[in-house]
């Protein structure tokens, strides 16, 4: 299974704990265009620990969103959760080519992976010359359990699609980072940025420097705590609670303590998460915070996070500088953009060279 592959245009399909999100991109010159995008909720019980437990149901959701988006592409890029992946940076002689690196890793991988090799998929990427030893090169080894990849492949087959690339969520968000950061002030080369993906049940902190992830940590809090609170307090469905969460409410009763409490709680939790990074490194600050994920769409959250952390905070919009044809609802696309950061990063694999 190829985790790093470089070919033609693919759909970016983000299979999250609660929904499937799709992005299709094209490019003319150096300008990207959004050809299609959309999201489809997943029925409860179709995901287990962020992996498909019912590939037929996940496939049905993918099939519906593909139909709704009217896309003709039939190959996709999907990602496994970062928590389901083992990564190691290994130093090797710089004269080794890809074939020699691959054969060496097959012999030595058991030193780095706590599973039998027949239970995992392996891949690697040459990062570049080692900063510590000029005659050596850093090689990134990536491994994940076969079942996590196979369940995604099966889900796509149920939808009539093929997985051209299986990526990792960390690298998908890293891939879209240059778009997310394109409107930020121009900091120095050593600037660090906190990219915080607020999902339904999990929030993941990524710290990036020079466009690469130098730290990641996941915590069990997210947008579901507000969705569930609204649904329970007002006796409405989760779908209506999601709408209330993202719009500030269908009427005045939702612009109240529940949303304010959520914003403050998320801000405090993000602050604690950043402290883990500061305490485990020699860094004491980041220049900017970028929020992505469905849980970031609550009105006023960037302001609350920025005020708590005393760090400039924005919603991440990978589509900011992109064009879109008339059939794409541009206003809705911009409003929902943080939801599609991972899917956009996956779709960008189409243009790797």
């Amino acid at each position: 299974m190829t985790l790093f592959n470089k070919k033609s245009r693919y759909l970016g399909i983000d299979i999250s704990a609660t929904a499937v999100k799709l992005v299709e991109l094209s490019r003319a010159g150096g300008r990207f265009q959004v050809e299609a995008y959309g999201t489809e909720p997943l029925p409860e019980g179709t995901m287990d620990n962020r992996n498909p437990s019912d590939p037929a149901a996940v496939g049905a959701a993918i099939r519906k969103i593909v139909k709704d988006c009217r896309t003709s592409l039939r190959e996709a890029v999907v990602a496994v959760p970062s928590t389901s992946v083992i990564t190691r940076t290994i130093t090797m002689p710089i004269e080794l080519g890809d074939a020699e690196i691959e054969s060496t890793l097959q012999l030595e991988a058991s030193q780095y992976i706590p599973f039998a090799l027949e239970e995992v998929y392996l891949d690697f990427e040459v990062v570049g010359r080692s900063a510590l030893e000029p005659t050596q090169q850093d090689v990134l080894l990536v491994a994940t359990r076969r079942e996590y990849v196979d369940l995604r492949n099966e889900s796509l087959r149920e939808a009539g699609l093929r997985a051209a690339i299986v990526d990792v969520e960390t690298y998908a968000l890293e891939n879209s980072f240059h778009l997310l950061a394109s409107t930020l002030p121009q900091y120095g080369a050593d600037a660090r940025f906190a990219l915080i993906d607020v999902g339904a049940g999990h929030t993941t902190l990524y710290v990036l420097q020079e466009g690469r992830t130098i730290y990641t940590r996941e915590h069990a809090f997210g947008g579901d705590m507000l969705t569930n609170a609204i649904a329970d307090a007002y006796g409405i469905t989760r779908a209506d609670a999601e709408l209330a969460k993202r719009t500030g409410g269908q009427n005045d009763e939702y612009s109240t303590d529940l949303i304010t409490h959520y914003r403050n709680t998320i801000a405090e939790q993000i602050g604690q998460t950043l402290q883990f990074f500061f305490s485990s490194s020699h860094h004491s600050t980041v220049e900017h915070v970028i929020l992505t994920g469905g849980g970031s769409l609550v009105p006023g959250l960037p302001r609350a996070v920025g005020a708590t952390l005393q760090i400039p905070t924005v919603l991440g919009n990978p589509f900011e500088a992109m064009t879109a044809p008339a059939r794409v609802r541009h206003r809705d696309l911009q409003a929902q953009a943080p939801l599609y950061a991972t899917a956009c990063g996956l779709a960008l694999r189409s243009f790797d060279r």
Side-chain angles (χ1 to χ4, degrees):
M1 174 56 57
T2 301
L3 296 176
F4 299 103
N5 195 0
K6 301 174 180 178
K7 293 204 177 206
S8 296
R9 279 206 310 135
Y10 308 123
L11 297 171
I13 298 182
D14 174 19
I15 305 173
S16 71
T18 58
V20 173
K21 284 145 283 188
L22 177 149
V23 170
E24 178 186 347
L25 300 177
S26 64
R27 184 173 65 179
R31 193 85 180 269
F32 291 107
Q33 176 165 290
V34 182
E35 298 292 342
Y37 77 99
T39 184
E40 180 65 25
L42 287 170
E44 290 189 25
T46 58
M47 300 291 288
D48 179 21
N49 196 25
R50 302 173 64 194
N51 288 294
S53 58
D54 187 346
V58 175
I62 297 172
R63 186 166 56 249
K64 183 178 185 304
I65 197 172
V66 167
K67 181 179 178 182
D68 291 346
C69 288
R70 300 181 180 179
T71 176
S72 61
L73 300 185
R74 289 297 176 264
E75 292 187 307
V77 186
V78 293
V80 292
S82 303
T83 51
S84 299
V85 173
I86 297 170
T87 60
R88 297 286 186 273
T89 299
I90 303 167
T91 301
M92 292 185 170
I94 201 165
E95 63 270 13
L96 295 185
D98 286 355
E100 295 165 305
I101 291 173
E102 183 174 3
S103 60
T104 301
L105 287 177
Q106 290 293 333
L107 293 173
E108 300 181 359
S110 59
Q111 300 177 38
Y112 312 103
I113 299 168
F115 304 110
L117 291 185
E118 60 269 20
E119 297 178 4
V120 300
Y121 287 119
L122 296 176
D123 207 347
F124 70 91
E125 184 176 59
V126 177
V127 177
R129 189 182 296 270
S130 172
L132 300 177
E133 178 51 64
T135 63
Q136 300 288 306
Q137 60 185 334
D138 290 333
V139 177
L140 178 66
L141 171 66
V142 182
T144 189
R145 298 288 293 268
R146 285 179 175 265
E147 61 187 291
Y148 302 146
V149 173
D150 294 344
L151 287 168
R152 284 164 174 78
N153 281 333
E154 186 178 349
S155 298
L156 288 176
R157 284 195 298 270
E158 290 282 346
L161 303 180
R162 186 184 79 85
I165 306 170
V166 179
D167 210 329
V168 180
E169 286 180 358
T170 299
Y171 307 135
L173 281 168
E174 186 178 288
N175 205 31
S176 65
F177 174 72
H178 70 283
L179 297 174
L180 297 170
S182 62
T183 59
L184 299 184
Q186 296 301 302
Y187 297 100
D190 60 345
R192 290 169 303 282
F193 300 88
L195 174 57
I196 299 168
D197 191 55
V198 187
H202 298 83
T203 293
T204 307
L205 164 69
Y206 304 91
V207 179
L208 295 103
Q209 187 169 11
E210 296 183 339
R212 297 195 72 92
T213 304
I214 62 171
Y215 178 88
T216 182
R217 189 180 182 98
E218 182 177 287
H219 291 269
F221 64 88
D224 265 0
M225 61 185 181
L226 178 56
T227 303
N228 295 333
I230 293 174
D232 292 343
Y234 299 106
I236 59 177
T237 66
R238 279 183 53 87
D240 287 340
E242 280 287 334
L243 177 62
K245 178 176 74 175
R246 295 181 185 180
T247 63
Q250 295 168 300
N251 52 55
D252 289 342
E253 65 181 327
Y254 293 124
S255 57
T256 58
D257 298 340
L258 287 177
I259 291 177
T260 300
H261 177 71
Y262 170 81
R263 287 194 299 248
N264 293 339
T265 301
I266 288 290
E268 291 169 3
Q269 294 278 5
I270 289 174
Q272 293 175 18
T273 302
L274 265 176
Q275 286 303 319
F276 280 109
F277 165 64
F278 297 144
S279 64
S280 64
S281 72
H282 61 277
H283 303 299
S284 59
T285 188
V286 294
E287 273 66 38
H288 229 98
V289 173
I290 304 171
L291 302 178
T292 62
S296 72
L297 294 175
V298 173
L301 185 60
R303 185 169 58 252
V305 172
T308 298
L309 303 182
Q310 292 297 294
I311 300 171
T313 302
V314 296
L315 282 177
N317 183 352
F319 308 128
E320 183 92 16
M322 294 189 189
T323 60
R327 66 178 180 276
V328 172
R329 300 183 301 277
H330 192 265
R331 181 177 297 180
D332 290 346
L333 172 68
Q334 297 299 320
Q336 300 175 35
L339 187 66
Y340 294 97
T342 298
C344 183
L346 296 172
L348 285 170
R349 291 295 186 200
S350 300
F351 312 103
D352 286 353
R353 290 294 181 267

